[in-house]
Amino acid sequence: MSYVRLEAWIGGEWVEVDSVSVSLVESALTLSFEHQRTESGYRDLIWEPLEKFLREYRDEPLVVVPRRRNLPVMFGPGAAGPFRLAEVSDG
């Protein structure tokens, strides 16, 4: 069995992403997500909303929270990504 996950290019490698947060003046909007079994499910539930989200807030700082890492990574306004979807085997 396999699943699809979101990855970001961070520090010279593709790292799995747990959540994305866009910081506004006095608040933050956060997207958190679980593994998806299919690419179409991921695209409908996560990828397309994330693309819309990033277009809408492209002038705001973007924080990416990598899985199993201690520190989040911040991208400057308009510099989010690159991101990709990757299929990973359970076993």
Side-chain angles (χ1 to χ4, degrees), residues 39-88:
E39 184 174 333
S40 63
Y42 214 118
R43 286 198 181 280
D44 293 344
L45 296 173
I46 299 164
W47 189 261
E48 290 172 5
L50 177 59
E51 284 184 326
K52 180 180 176 188
F53 191 67
L54 294 178
R55 278 195 308 271
E56 189 171 338
Y57 295 99
R58 66 182 173 275
D59 296 330
E60 302 296 336
L62 181 89
V63 177
V64 175
V65 182
R67 184 179 290 273
R68 294 184 297 277
R69 299 287 176 106
N70 293 330
L71 299 174
V73 176
M74 178 176 282
F75 293 99
F83 296 102
R84 74 174 185 183
L85 294 177
E87 189 169 353
V88 179

Side-chain angles (χ1 to χ4, degrees), residues 15 23 60:
V15 178
S23 301
E60 302 296 336

Side-chain angles (χ1 to χ4, degrees), residues 10-11 24 29 40-41 44 52 79 89 91:
I10 299 172
L24 303 175
L29 301 174
S40 63
D44 293 344
K52 180 180 176 188
S89 174

